[in-house]
Amino acid sequence: MQNLVTRFIKDESGATAIEYGLIAALIAVGIIGAAGALGQKVSGNFQTVAAAM
């Protein structure tokens, strides 16, 4: 039983998966923020063109 607990404590594969998950979440937040800002600029450009027509 003690051997099982020792192996569980030394196993870092779960920690690595969590780290990759956090990195993916941060990248997703960055993409969402950039897409939102870009979407507002594109919308503004379309409104400018529509008003000029």
Side-chain angles (χ1 to χ4, degrees):
M1 185 69 175
Q2 186 177 4
N3 187 18
L4 179 64
V5 172
T6 304
R7 271 191 301 151
F8 178 73
I9 291 173
K10 290 183 180 180
D11 185 18
E12 295 183 2
S13 61
T16 303
I18 291 172
E19 289 170 355
Y20 284 136
L22 288 173
I23 291 169
L26 288 174
I27 290 171
V29 167
I31 290 172
I32 290 169
L38 181 65
Q40 289 177 354
K41 279 196 166 231
V42 170
S43 176
N45 287 343
F46 277 124
Q47 288 176 0
T48 302
V49 170
M53 291 172 77

